[in-house]
Amino acid sequence: MDRISELPRDILQQILNFLSQKEAVRISVLSKSWRYNWCIRTNLDLSYNNFRGNKLQFLSVVDNILRRQHDERLSLSEFHLSISQVYPDHTSVFYLKKWVPLLTVIGVKKFRLSVYMSHTHHAYRKPPLKLPPVVFGAESLQDLHLENFEFDRKTIERILPWKHLRSLCLQKVYIEDEILQKIILGSPLLETLNVQGDCRRVGTVNLNHLHNLKYLSLQLCEREVDQYCSFEIHPPSLETIELRYSNISYHTGDDFRNLHSLFISNVRPSSLDRLSSTIFPCLKRLTISNCFGIEEIKLFINAPNILYFEYHGLKVPSISFAATSSKWKSEIYLVYQGSSWLLKLNELLNSLSHSEISLAVDQYCRINGNVMVRENVHNRPIVESLRMGSDLVIVMFFICRPRNIYGYKIKSARLWKFLMERESGNEDELFRGLEEVSIETRVDIREGWRPSTSLDFKLPGLEFRLALKWRNTPL
């Protein structure tokens, strides 16, 4: 006797919710009466990419599922829908206009709608699908995610205030700044805002009224003219900021009391320069990546509770930190640019010397054989981790004292000849304070490093490093 099929619908729905959608679909083969039971889950993820029929059949299946949810008064709290785009795509628009009002009646709180190009049309760049205005009439939503749509003025003709919306994500969108501003003005309770796409008219979008905003991720620019959209922010509530190809503005002395994480990539110097006059009392993580013009400014970061700093770029920045209350780490990723570059890198390493420094350097240009930076030999900070794949590692001894050296070049004869000068009693300033050099290996990243006596390693996947002990520093 099939006792499970006799369970009340709400109990059966709860059971299916504990399963993934894939598992719920699999058990539909157990009985004819179970064939469509997976459709009563409170969260559904329907993607044409996983469907074995044509697009019209897929749209019909989605239509039947939503109709069943509505007619049987089922509860659907979360709905993800991914459809392919053909151009023109009047059929998808027709169904979306039909479905969105149903979602409101059914009680959907989280709605994710994305469009992707089918493989057969990928070679032809088509205009993105224009978002039907009906989407902005779903005022009961708490979480809305839209991907690969164009927003025009017709899109927001029917926009209603979203009294419940807490999270808004717009990815790969084409939008004007005025349209984005109107959407945000209608969403006063937002806690999460993620905008990524192309802006047709670059201007300023005001976010000052979003007093509950905690997570902010922005990437909005007009690529053809290389213009970035600017956002005015309300700092006190923000906990995480991720900024790419966009600018933010705020008043000097604004309160960033809750900001824990700040990620900045490809922004203008004006957005960076403002950091020096700001206090970040709770900032734990700071990442700066590939920011044009950063070498032209001097940055001072007042973040007494910083735990982690990361920098990526071609240019060496001039950056320093206020005194910190605990141990912290810095990771620096650079590209070798020549002798003068080494002097700037020495300055950066000294400014970060109160942190545990990891340094990785790529090299694409030739090293000058006459590199001389000995005036800095008395001011070489400790670098915990040094990674590079060339003989540049020898040059690094002029500007720092590495504790651990990684990379295949540590087996090079030139490096060992260099280090053996210390063993022969050479009193070169570069080796002053160097007490011990040892070889260490490991097979698995979960294992600790073990001492070794040879660099002739045959075992596949074996990692190795040089461990250097400097006077007054632990090994």
Side-chain angles (χ1 to χ4, degrees):
M1 184 176 180
D2 185 3
R3 296 185 180 274
I4 297 180
S5 297
E6 296 179 353
L7 291 173
R9 180 58 58 92
D10 57 338
I11 300 298
L12 182 58
Q13 190 179 56
Q14 290 184 39
I15 293 173
L16 292 171
N17 284 338
F18 283 113
L19 305 176
S20 68
Q21 182 167 299
K22 190 173 183 179
E23 292 170 334
V25 172
R26 281 178 178 172
I27 66 172
S28 64
V29 301
L30 297 178
S31 169
K32 286 185 178 180
S33 62
W34 276 63
R35 184 174 181 182
Y36 298 107
N37 274 348
W38 66 272
C39 301
I40 69 172
R41 286 163 42 87
T42 58
N43 53 85
L44 291 176
D45 187 349
L46 305 178
S47 173
Y48 177 62
N49 200 36
N50 299 325
F51 187 70
R52 294 184 179 179
N54 60 42
K55 182 173 180 179
L56 286 177
Q57 291 172 327
F58 172 74
L59 295 174
S60 178
V61 168
V62 175
D63 189 59
N64 289 333
I65 290 174
L66 292 180
R67 277 291 171 192
R68 182 184 181 189
Q69 290 272 348
H70 175 267
D71 294 343
E72 297 185 17
R73 297 183 179 181
L74 300 174
S75 174
L76 179 63
S77 60
E78 186 173 334
F79 184 46
H80 296 185
L81 177 63
S82 179
I83 57 179
S84 67
Q85 180 186 358
V86 295
Y87 189 76
D89 200 353
H90 301 303
T91 306
S92 295
V93 173
F94 168 79
Y95 275 106
L96 287 175
K97 290 180 178 178
K98 180 181 179 182
W99 293 335
V100 172
L102 283 179
L103 298 180
T104 303
V105 175
I106 294 171
V108 171
K109 299 296 187 291
K110 184 175 182 179
F111 181 34
R112 175 168 184 161
L113 177 61
S114 58
V115 174
Y116 67 93
M117 282 190 291
S118 61
H119 297 296
T120 55
H121 296 86
H122 222 306
Y124 306 96
R125 184 171 177 82
K126 302 186 294 295
L129 189 65
K130 291 186 178 181
L131 185 70
V134 69
V135 173
F136 288 99
E139 57 181 326
S140 62
L141 292 176
Q142 296 178 4
D143 189 324
L144 177 61
H145 183 129
L146 301 172
E147 184 172 346
N148 206 14
F149 282 96
E150 178 181 1
F151 293 70
D152 60 13
R153 296 190 179 275
K154 288 185 178 180
T155 300
I156 58 174
E157 283 179 352
R158 295 180 55 185
I159 189 168
L160 296 174
W162 273 318
K163 301 176 182 178
H164 308 285
L165 194 67
R166 298 294 192 274
S167 177
L168 176 62
C169 180
L170 307 177
Q171 288 192 324
K172 301 177 184 176
V173 297
Y174 295 75
I175 194 168
E176 292 182 11
D177 55 347
E178 292 182 6
I179 294 175
L180 178 59
Q181 182 70 78
K182 189 169 183 179
I183 293 171
I184 292 173
L185 283 173
S187 315
L189 299 181
L190 281 179
E191 297 176 1
T192 297
L193 177 61
N194 186 339
V195 183
Q196 172 199 331
D198 290 333
C199 188
R200 288 202 180 144
R201 289 176 51 200
V202 172
T204 299
V205 178
N206 194 323
L207 309 180
N208 281 326
H209 67 290
L210 300 180
H211 292 177
N212 298 320
L213 192 62
K214 297 178 180 179
Y215 175 87
L216 177 64
S217 180
L218 302 170
Q219 181 177 330
L220 198 62
C221 62
E222 192 170 0
R223 297 182 186 276
E224 293 182 0
V225 295
D226 194 30
Q227 294 291 321
Y228 295 177
C229 195
S230 183
F231 294 83
E232 295 181 7
I233 62 173
H234 175 74
S237 62
L238 286 167
E239 297 177 0
T240 300
I241 297 177
E242 296 178 359
L243 195 65
R244 301 174 180 87
Y245 296 100
S246 302
N247 293 318
I248 59 171
S249 62
Y250 54 88
H251 299 294
T252 301
D254 270 354
D255 185 0
F256 284 85
R257 71 186 78 167
N258 291 306
L259 190 66
H260 295 152
S261 177
L262 177 59
F263 176 95
I264 301 175
S265 175
N266 294 281
V267 304
R268 304 296 190 200
S270 58
S271 287
L272 288 171
D273 201 20
R274 193 175 281 108
L275 299 178
S276 296
S277 58
T278 306
I279 300 175
F280 301 99
C282 293
L283 189 67
K284 300 293 192 300
R285 297 179 64 90
L286 172 63
T287 300
I288 300 176
S289 177
N290 300 310
C291 293
F292 176 78
I294 191 172
E295 73 280 5
E296 300 172 1
I297 60 177
K298 290 187 177 181
L299 283 177
F300 173 72
I301 306 298
N302 192 345
N305 291 296
I306 192 75
L307 295 178
Y308 177 79
F309 168 63
E310 182 175 339
Y311 176 81
H312 296 254
L314 294 175
K315 302 295 184 179
V316 179
S318 175
I319 185 168
S320 59
F321 285 78
T324 58
S325 59
S326 59
K327 293 182 179 180
W328 58 292
K329 296 183 178 181
S330 55
E331 294 189 7
I332 311 299
Y333 301 87
L334 293 165
V335 177
Y336 175 69
Q337 304 268 317
S339 299
S340 60
W341 175 90
L342 287 168
L343 295 175
K344 293 179 181 177
L345 178 56
N346 174 259
E347 293 177 4
L348 174 64
L349 296 178
N350 274 292
S351 71
L352 299 175
S353 60
H354 294 292
S355 69
E356 183 181 294
I357 303 173
S358 294
L359 174 63
V361 180
D362 288 327
Q363 177 212 338
Y364 301 110
C365 63
R366 192 171 182 177
I367 301 174
N368 186 343
N370 297 317
V371 171
M372 294 295 288
V373 287
R374 288 181 178 269
E375 60 267 30
N376 293 285
V377 78
H378 295 294
N379 197 22
R380 295 177 299 148
I382 290 291
V383 170
E384 178 69 22
S385 169
L386 182 61
R387 293 179 182 270
M388 49 195 62
S390 74
D391 289 328
L392 180 62
V393 66
I394 296 176
V395 179
M396 300 306 293
F397 276 82
F398 286 95
I399 64 169
C400 69
R401 292 175 292 162
R403 282 190 56 199
N404 297 289
I405 303 176
Y406 303 82
Y408 71 92
K409 279 293 182 178
I410 70 171
K411 295 190 294 184
S412 71
R414 186 181 175 193
L415 175 59
W416 280 99
K417 181 180 178 181
F418 174 74
L419 291 175
M420 288 306 105
E421 291 183 13
R422 181 188 68 89
E423 298 293 335
S424 64
N426 190 324
E427 291 298 326
D428 194 301
E429 288 286 340
L430 293 179
F431 302 126
R432 181 161 295 177
L434 181 58
E435 298 180 339
E436 182 180 341
V437 179
S438 59
I439 306 166
E440 297 180 342
T441 65
R442 70 179 181 186
V443 178
D444 193 304
I445 194 172
R446 293 168 295 185
E447 296 180 356
W449 292 92
R450 299 179 179 178
S452 178
T453 57
S454 172
L455 282 173
D456 184 21
F457 303 129
K458 307 292 185 181
L459 189 62
L462 190 67
E463 291 184 83
F464 47 89
R465 72 178 184 183
L466 292 181
L468 293 82
K469 183 180 179 180
W470 299 86
R471 189 176 299 124
N472 300 324
T473 63
L475 184 62

